[in-house]
């Protein structure tokens, strides 16, 4: 879409369209402008072109591939600073997979952006077995985006008073928090006291949005009320008990974002035909690997590759990719029954949105459309719920296929064949 060689020649000192990327790049090189100030002197695309020129000159690297991006630069204004282009990776589809959810009920393609050969094939195989079995049942059982500021108090007694005040005045905190958003609703505030630190874990229903910005802005307003009304002094708006983008047991236990569970019962003949192994072998591999192995490792994830599906769909659909950390909090269960296999996944903390964040970008919104849940839902929140249910079904497909491949000793040959 963009090309350094045919950029407009114009006045590098003027605002907006017509600015010359070469002249702008010269001004950066001369120390007259900072890289991030280029947007004040040119439209977003020209500014990105000028930045590429600066980086090309400084590093000697040809950035023509990075400059060949397929979205309007200005559409990424709220997503990136110092933009130089686009990072592209292949996206494939698995499915369609049949999902019997509360919000998602039908057959759904699962777009997966990845560079790992064999991943889409694996999820596709799992999807085909799930669909042959009549589909996966999926339910969102909890929603709540959290933000937990930390306050300083003078000691335990004062901290306990602050915690009590918060518990008695949740309605006042909700009023302040909700004054900042049309869609966010404060669901709870849970105080934690550690010595002279008080943590307040705020949890919000954020509708169809991931809600991390929404929750952060709302919590700032609530924190001001806490400071006005109690002796507590705000130290940090995020006190890590949220817990955002770090492995944390609190998310695995209490949930964060969407807590979603999916299960399926697959007839024995379908298992044997699609996975080339038996329900008993899959159960044994799951127990020894995903349960005992994970326990011995002290892992928070009792699964094989939930993060693969979460990451692939997140990148394809404009979710915050760092939330894959929480998205990997998944427990996979498998049970061989008389003539069938029962399998389930529980994703405790899946952060998804169909509005906001990167969901409006060109390819990302296309992929949300492919799944069928782009934009705000009716009722509010139903699109994000549906996306969570479809991802859970995809994670279940990935678990079934990979654990089967391990049970049938096909993992390394599959990757030799498809991934090298
Ligand atoms: C690779 C397969 C699927 C072959 O499996 P197969 O049974 O030999 O393949 P098949 O040719 O008989 O086809 C069966 C089905 O697989 C699908 N399929 C088959 N090939 C393709 C393809 N090219 N493109 C799209 N879909 C494909 C497709 O659904 C097909 O059904 P059909 O449509 O023909 O009725 C299998 O061996 C497999 O799933 N292996 C596991 C690979 C895997 O899961 N990799 C994930 C990444 S591993 C990792 O990152 C995490 C790890 C392992 O470190 C985590 C841990 O510690 O456990
Ligand atoms: N601030 C932070 O600390 C952090 C931010 N992030 C980033 O936050 C972003 C996600 O935040 P998020 O708040 O979701 O996104 P946005 O900041 O993009 O806000 C989305 C907005 O969409 C509006 N909206 C319109 N329709 C709906 C609907 N149906 N349901 C819900 N909201 C709707 C809401 O407006 P209104 O509120 O007015 O109702 C909402 O605030 C990601 O880009 C992520 O990377 C990630 C981690 C930390």
């Amino acid at each position: 879409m963009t090309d350094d060689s045919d950029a407009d020649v114009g006045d590098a000192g003027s605002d907006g369209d017509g600015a010359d990327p070469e002249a702008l790049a010269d001004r950066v090189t001369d120390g007259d402008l900072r890289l991030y100030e280029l947007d004040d002197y040119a439209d977003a695309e020209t500014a990105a072109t000028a930045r590429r020129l600066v980086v090309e000159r400084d590093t000697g690297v040809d950035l023509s591939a990075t400059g060949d991006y397929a979205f309007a630069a200005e559409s990424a204004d709220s997503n990136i600073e110092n933009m130089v282009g686009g990072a592209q990776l292949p996206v494939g589809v698995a499915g369609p997979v049949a999902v019997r959810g509360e919000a998602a009920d039908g057959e759904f393609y699962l777009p997966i952006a990845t560079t790992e050969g064999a991943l889409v094939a694996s999820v596709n195989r799992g999807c085909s077995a799930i669909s042959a079995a009549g589909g996966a049942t999926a339910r969102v059982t909890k929603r709540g985006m959290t933000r937990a500021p930390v306050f300083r108090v003078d000691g335990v007694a004062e901290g306990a008073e602050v915690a009590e005040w918060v518990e008695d005045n949740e309605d006042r905190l909700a009023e302040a928090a909700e004054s900042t958003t049309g869609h966010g609703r404060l669901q709870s505030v849970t105080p934690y006291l550690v010595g002279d630190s008080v943590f307040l874990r705020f949890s919000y229903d954020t509708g169809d949005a991931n809600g991390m910005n929404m929750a952060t802005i709302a919590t700032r307003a609530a924190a001001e009320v806490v400071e006005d009304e109690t002796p507590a002094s705000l130290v940090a708006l995020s006190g890590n008990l949220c817990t955002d983008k770090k492995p944390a047991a609190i998310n695995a236990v209490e949930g964060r974002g969407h807590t979603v569970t999916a299960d399926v019962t697959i007839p024995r003949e379908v298992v044997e035909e699609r996975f080339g192994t038996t329900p008993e072998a899959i159960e044994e591999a799951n127990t020894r690997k995903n349960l005992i192995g994970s326990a011995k490792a002290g892992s928070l994830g009792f699964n094989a590759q939930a993060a693969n599906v979460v990451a692939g769909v997140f990148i394809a659909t404009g979710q915050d990719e760092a939330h894959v950390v929480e998205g990997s909090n998944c427990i996979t269960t498998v049970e061989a029954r008389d003539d069938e296999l029962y399998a389930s996944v529980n994703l405790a903390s899946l952060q998804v949105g169909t509005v906001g964040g990167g969901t409006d970008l060109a390819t990302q919104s296309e992929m949300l459309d492919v799944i069928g849940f782009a934009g705000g839902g009716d009722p509010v929140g139903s699109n994000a719920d549906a996306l969570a249910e479809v991802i859970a079904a995809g994670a279940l497909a990935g678990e079934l296929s990979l654990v089967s491949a391990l049970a049938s000793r096909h993992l390394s040959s599959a990757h030799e064949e498809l991934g090298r």
Side-chain angles (χ1 to χ4, degrees):
M1 177 174 174
T2 54
D3 181 347
D4 299 349
S5 62
D6 59 16
D8 287 338
V9 176
D11 175 10
S14 68
D15 283 336
D17 297 341
D20 173 16
E22 292 272 359
L24 285 168
D26 288 344
R27 290 185 61 184
V28 174
T29 304
D30 293 346
D32 183 29
L33 282 182
R34 293 176 189 276
L35 270 184
Y36 65 80
E37 289 172 335
L38 286 169
D39 293 301
D40 299 335
Y41 293 84
D43 61 83
E45 190 172 321
T46 309
T49 304
R51 263 183 223 111
R52 278 199 304 285
L53 286 170
V54 173
V55 176
E56 283 179 332
R57 288 176 193 168
D58 286 353
T59 64
V61 177
D62 173 10
L63 293 180
S64 49
T66 304
D68 191 15
Y69 53 94
F71 56 91
E74 63 269 20
S75 71
D77 258 2
S78 61
N79 298 104
I80 192 86
E81 299 79 38
N82 268 354
M83 178 174 147
V84 292
Q88 299 166 43
L89 69 169
V91 57
V93 288
V97 60
V99 181
R100 310 289 163 228
E102 231 160 18
D105 190 2
E107 310 259 321
F108 302 95
Y109 278 112
L110 201 69
I112 295 176
T114 185
T115 55
E116 183 174 14
L119 174 59
V120 175
S122 175
V123 180
N124 202 29
R125 179 169 75 156
C127 288
S128 80
I130 288 172
S131 292
T137 304
R139 293 287 184 276
V140 172
T141 53
K142 195 173 178 185
R143 299 162 196 83
M145 182 50 92
T146 56
R147 184 46 100 198
V150 55
F151 298 83
R152 185 190 320 110
V153 288
D154 71 6
V156 169
E158 189 171 275
E161 277 167 33
V162 171
E164 196 180 326
W165 184 91
V166 166
E167 279 161 352
D168 291 345
N169 290 277
E170 217 174 284
D171 52 340
R172 287 188 62 187
L173 298 178
E175 193 185 338
E178 290 170 12
S179 70
T180 67
T181 168
H183 290 83
R185 295 288 166 267
L186 182 65
Q187 301 182 129
S188 62
V189 190
T190 310
Y192 295 81
L193 175 58
V194 184
D196 60 359
S197 295
V198 175
F199 299 82
L200 301 178
R201 194 173 194 250
F202 289 77
S203 174
Y204 299 87
D205 184 332
T206 59
D208 292 300
N210 158 306
M212 209 47 274
N213 279 335
M214 192 194 279
T216 303
I217 293 164
T219 301
R220 183 182 58 195
E224 280 167 14
V225 177
V226 174
E227 277 198 305
D228 286 349
E229 298 295 331
T230 77
S233 173
L234 182 69
V235 176
L237 193 50
S238 168
N240 269 15
L241 208 78
C242 316
T243 297
D244 196 39
K245 303 180 175 177
K246 273 85 61 181
I250 195 166
N251 294 334
V253 177
E254 292 291 324
R256 184 165 200 259
H258 284 68
T259 302
V260 57
T261 304
D263 70 2
V264 67
T265 305
I266 308 178
R268 177 177 292 273
E269 60 275 15
V270 174
V271 171
E272 291 175 356
E273 186 250 318
R274 301 278 159 162
F275 296 130
T277 185
T278 61
E280 289 75 17
I282 301 173
E283 181 191 285
E284 181 179 8
N286 188 71
T287 302
R288 291 184 193 268
K289 169 191 171 60
N290 285 341
L291 305 185
I292 302 173
S294 299
K296 178 67 180 165
S299 177
L300 289 178
F302 286 69
N303 65 85
Q305 61 158 340
N308 263 338
V309 175
V310 171
V313 180
F314 272 24
I315 293 169
T317 61
Q319 311 301 315
D320 186 328
E321 62 279 1
H323 284 153
V324 175
V325 176
E326 290 97 313
S328 70
N329 283 334
C330 168
I331 298 175
T332 301
T333 72
V334 173
E335 189 185 314
R337 295 178 177 168
D338 282 349
D339 51 0
E340 59 194 21
L341 175 82
Y342 173 83
S344 77
V345 289
N346 170 258
L347 293 134
S349 42
L350 187 68
Q351 270 110 75
V352 287
T354 57
V355 300
T359 60
D360 271 345
L361 290 169
T363 67
Q364 287 79 354
S365 65
E366 269 180 21
M367 288 302 142
L368 281 170
D369 273 331
V370 163
I371 304 176
F373 300 106
D378 182 15
V380 169
S382 58
N383 273 3
D385 281 3
L387 181 59
E389 289 175 350
V390 172
I391 293 174
L396 181 60
E399 292 299 278
L400 281 165
S401 186
L402 174 51
V403 178
S404 300
L406 289 163
S408 62
R409 307 188 182 188
H410 280 152
L411 178 66
S412 62
S413 57
H415 282 256
E416 249 165 16
E417 201 177 307
L418 289 169
R420 302 184 92 176

